[in-house]
Amino acid sequence: MPLHPTILDVTDRIRHRSAKTRETYLARIQAAAHAGPNRAHLSCGNAAHAYAAMGDDKDRLAATRAPNLGIVTAYNDMLSAHQPFESFPQLIKQAARAAGGTAQVAGGVPAMCDGVTQGQPGMELSLFSRDVIALAAGVALSHNTFDAAAFLGVCDKIVPGLVIAAATFGHIPAVFMPAGPMTSGLPNDEKSKVRQKYAEGQIGRDELMAAEMASYHGPGTCTFYGTANTNQMLMEFMGLHLPGASFVTPGTPLRDALTCAATDRALAITALGNAYTPAGEVLDERAFVNGMVGLMATGGSTNLVLHLPAMARAAGIILLPEDFAAVSSVTPLMAKVYPNGLADVNHFHAAGGLQYMIAQLLDAGLLQDDVKTVAGPGLSRYTHEPKLSQDTLVWTDGPDTSGNEKILRPASDPFKATGGLQDMAGNLGTGIMKVSAVAPDLHMIEAPARIFEDQEQVKAAFRAGEFTGDCIVVVRFQGPRANGMPELHGLTPILSVLLDRGLKIALVTDGRMSGASGKVPAALHVSPEAALGGPLARLQDGDILRVDARAGRLEVLTDGALDREAATPDLSANTHGTGRELFELFRQSAGPATLGASPLLPTEPQT
């Protein structure tokens, strides 16, 4: 089917807007590719340092032109999503030797968990950890001795940071190797009910802890459709995983076979062979538009609206909020995965998963097939699913029907005609709302504002019984310049309780809430942020606000509200403790949320 005119228009608009920056970027990576891996020109002393610990691989590294794969890993054993990576390097090295190449762990990158730091001071380091990860991966690859890179990462900021690094070293191929989701535990909706009961004081901490441990119970990614699993979807839609790799559980023969196959493929697509596929050419404007389509079709995490512009800018491509809005306007919402529904990602995968969805969206003209991927040319390769046949990995045609239409529906008969994310704009600034789980009668709320300057103030007001009528909760001074833009996930249970009591409640904030906002209508990432004198800093209790997801409007209706002096609270407490001292330069340098909130990448608007 011909490409949908809106998708074509968005792609052309991005290409035109990015012409100069993309041309500069491509020239730079082409020059790096022409120079080749520096190991060919190392002095004997340099080479001895690089190969000293490589044992039986020393001769192959020093005396041949066999491809060498650099592994950048986010392994740690305190996070379930990254613990499986402990065994990956040995498996990758064995597969590389079998393929005639070599592999070395080039370096590690930090991997913090928002689930651990929610509501804690450490959460204020979370967003900027993306940029630290990009820097750390850059250090790992700076030895310039690798023909390709294998990136091992899964969760919130880890994959975006690794993609920024992959784009920066765009002259070498980059293959992302996931660990997969944990097996299903306590259903997410049951866990959510327990959290609400705890928020209302109906149960104690022991019952809450038992529910949480039954939900997050083993190795692998959390099974709800938050940022981590949205990242995995994105890597398939953008052609950086092998087809069907995203949602295969850890510790299974198929998972190991996919890791070995990804190693083989990484070595096959270096400049030493005939299928050279540098990461910078995979990461073009078509890949990013395909990623946006996947985000909307799955109702993915709002965090990706922050990360995609930052990833794109590392590849010389400029994404703006209106691109997301345009893509959302024509992309059907095909999936219902918690918090958008009751299913988890394992149920989604079993129902047909990404292979069914990609096939449907290609047939509908909403995805672009003429892209480069690590698996070869054409996104249609990603309609095939991996299977083991007598211990041999093969790809077969993916399903042509959904296995469960309560979870996954065809593009022609979706859950909603438009995407799961809504761009918001008005006299309060610009933001984003995840509407895929929000009840239709909450898509437009007009109510008095309650103004707070951190989420603890909201929790205290809830405990004091102050929420007795409809209101719009404004939590300001939560942007990147104020305190690093932490997630406000801790507000979800209490705001959900208020909705269950029959109140109409919405949230407006210059902070984040990820894919976990659930049924709460939440206008997030509002920019310009309050710390820079944005409109939210001028609001007072009682101002009448309108949050209208139907029209995409975010407005204050009270006359003269925006003529007031901006509030200037004392933010000094955000600058120290739990390592926050080390991030002052990041806070001072962060760009606006609309452009990725990165302290590393250029953020000036360009045309």
Side-chain angles (χ1 to χ4, degrees):
M1 183 172 179
L3 192 62
H4 192 287
T6 298
I7 301 298
L8 180 62
D9 178 64
V10 171
T11 306
D12 287 345
R13 189 167 64 209
I14 294 169
R15 185 182 295 116
H16 175 74
R17 181 194 304 143
S18 310
K20 291 182 179 179
T21 50
R22 181 67 173 171
E23 181 182 13
T24 300
Y25 170 79
L26 290 175
R28 188 168 70 245
I29 67 168
Q30 286 162 6
H34 182 72
N38 207 38
R39 65 191 177 92
H41 313 292
L42 293 178
S43 72
C44 293
N46 294 149
H49 278 288
Y51 311 146
M54 290 303 292
D56 294 340
D57 289 330
K58 277 187 183 181
D59 290 343
R60 186 176 290 179
L61 279 164
T64 73
R65 288 289 288 147
N68 186 34
L69 180 61
I71 304 167
V72 180
T73 177
Y75 163 72
N76 64 55
D77 63 7
M78 72 159 288
L79 302 183
S80 64
H82 293 92
Q83 187 276 336
F85 287 135
E86 180 179 19
S87 62
F88 276 41
Q90 281 304 115
L91 190 61
I92 291 168
K93 289 177 184 180
Q94 292 168 9
R97 293 186 193 109
T102 55
Q104 296 176 282
V105 175
V109 302
M112 68 178 291
C113 178
D114 293 355
V116 176
T117 57
Q118 288 289 349
Q120 306 298 321
M123 188 65 195
E124 295 179 15
L125 278 60
S126 173
L127 176 59
F128 292 145
S129 76
R130 176 194 67 191
D131 301 272
V132 174
I133 288 158
L135 292 169
V139 171
L141 296 176
S142 67
H143 300 97
N144 201 21
T145 63
F146 307 109
D147 300 282
F151 291 101
L152 312 183
V154 174
C155 287
D156 298 49
K157 268 58 64 186
I158 294 90
V159 167
L162 294 175
V163 171
I164 290 170
T168 304
F169 288 79
H171 60 290
I172 62 173
V175 178
F176 281 65
M177 302 182 186
M182 68 176 70
T183 55
S184 299
L186 179 73
N188 286 295
D189 61 317
E190 291 185 27
K191 175 192 67 182
S192 178
K193 290 175 184 176
V194 173
R195 285 179 173 177
Q196 288 191 34
K197 287 181 179 179
Y198 180 76
E200 293 182 279
Q202 296 180 20
I203 61 172
R205 185 178 175 83
D206 55 342
E207 291 179 72
L208 175 66
M209 190 64 181
E212 298 286 359
M213 294 290 283
S215 179
Y216 306 118
H217 64 91
T221 315
C222 306
T223 59
F224 71 93
Y225 196 56
T227 310
N229 287 314
T230 304
N231 283 338
Q232 302 315 297
M233 172 281 300
L234 196 71
M235 293 300 93
E236 288 213 34
F237 271 76
M238 294 180 67
L240 291 169
H241 277 174
L242 289 188
S246 294
F247 299 132
V248 176
T249 52
T252 60
L254 181 56
R255 176 82 278 157
D256 288 349
L258 283 164
T259 302
C260 292
T263 303
D264 290 349
R265 188 60 189 168
L267 298 176
I269 60 177
T270 73
L272 299 177
N274 298 320
Y276 178 44
T277 311
E281 293 184 9
V282 173
L283 292 168
D284 69 3
E285 65 282 348
R286 293 167 297 180
F288 282 100
V289 174
N290 281 349
M292 284 191 277
V293 171
L295 181 63
M296 304 308 170
T298 57
S301 169
T302 55
N303 274 330
L304 271 297
V305 182
L306 278 173
H307 298 319
L308 277 164
M311 291 187 270
R313 281 175 181 256
I317 293 168
I318 302 165
L319 303 183
L320 296 177
E322 54 260 37
D323 302 325
F324 290 88
V327 170
S328 182
S329 72
V330 298
T331 304
L333 178 64
M334 296 172 59
K336 274 193 174 291
V337 186
Y338 189 86
N340 305 338
L342 298 181
D344 67 21
V345 294
N346 294 316
H347 304 136
F348 168 76
H349 184 63
L354 298 180
Q355 279 50 66
Y356 173 78
M357 180 174 279
I358 289 171
Q360 286 283 308
L361 292 167
L362 282 168
D363 288 346
L366 292 166
L367 288 175
Q368 298 173 76
D369 191 26
D370 59 335
V371 293
K372 290 186 177 181
T373 80
V374 298
L379 192 66
S380 55
R381 294 173 182 272
Y382 288 75
T383 66
H384 301 148
E385 61 180 353
K387 295 180 179 179
L388 285 177
S389 176
Q390 297 181 342
D391 297 327
T392 299
L393 182 63
V394 297
W395 273 268
T396 63
D397 290 342
D400 56 11
T401 59
S402 169
N404 186 338
E405 291 200 354
K406 293 181 179 179
I407 301 170
L408 181 61
R409 297 185 65 87
S412 59
D413 185 24
F415 293 104
K416 272 189 63 183
T418 58
L421 296 179
Q422 174 64 55
D423 191 46
M424 306 290 287
N427 62 8
L428 289 179
T430 62
I432 198 79
M433 180 186 289
K434 183 173 179 177
V435 296
S436 49
V438 176
D441 64 324
L442 297 175
H443 283 192
M444 203 289 284
I445 296 178
E446 187 175 303
R450 284 293 311 273
I451 310 299
F452 302 92
E453 294 179 355
D454 62 54
Q455 61 179 327
E456 292 307 314
Q457 292 179 354
V458 183
K459 294 177 182 178
F462 175 79
R463 290 192 295 268
E466 295 179 12
F467 294 104
T468 57
D470 298 348
C471 71
I472 294 176
V473 176
V474 176
V475 187
R476 61 191 183 186
F477 299 104
Q478 302 299 308
R481 291 288 190 100
N483 62 351
M485 206 177 186
E487 287 185 0
L488 306 177
H489 191 182
L491 296 179
T492 301
I494 62 174
L495 297 180
S496 297
V497 168
L498 296 176
L499 290 175
D500 289 346
R501 291 176 181 173
L503 301 181
K504 285 196 170 185
I505 301 290
L507 173 69
V508 175
T509 180
D510 48 10
R512 298 185 294 127
M513 212 176 200
S514 84
S517 55
K519 63 185 180 182
V520 179
L524 310 173
H525 313 170
V526 175
S527 182
E529 64 173 287
L532 294 178
L536 295 188
R538 304 173 192 276
L539 297 179
Q540 295 179 357
D541 281 345
D543 287 342
I544 303 301
L545 308 186
R546 178 184 292 151
V547 177
D548 186 352
R550 297 167 188 158
R553 301 299 297 169
L554 183 60
E555 298 170 312
V556 56
L557 305 181
T558 301
D559 290 341
L562 299 181
D563 296 330
R564 304 180 188 124
E565 290 291 321
T568 54
D570 180 6
L571 299 176
S572 61
N574 300 327
T575 64
H576 61 273
T578 326
R580 286 178 288 179
E581 300 90 336
L582 304 174
F583 285 77
E584 179 61 28
L585 185 61
F586 279 42
R587 287 189 292 271
Q588 291 177 6
S589 305
T594 50
L595 299 178
S598 174
L600 304 180
L601 302 167
T603 57
E604 65 277 4
Q606 300 174 34
T607 57

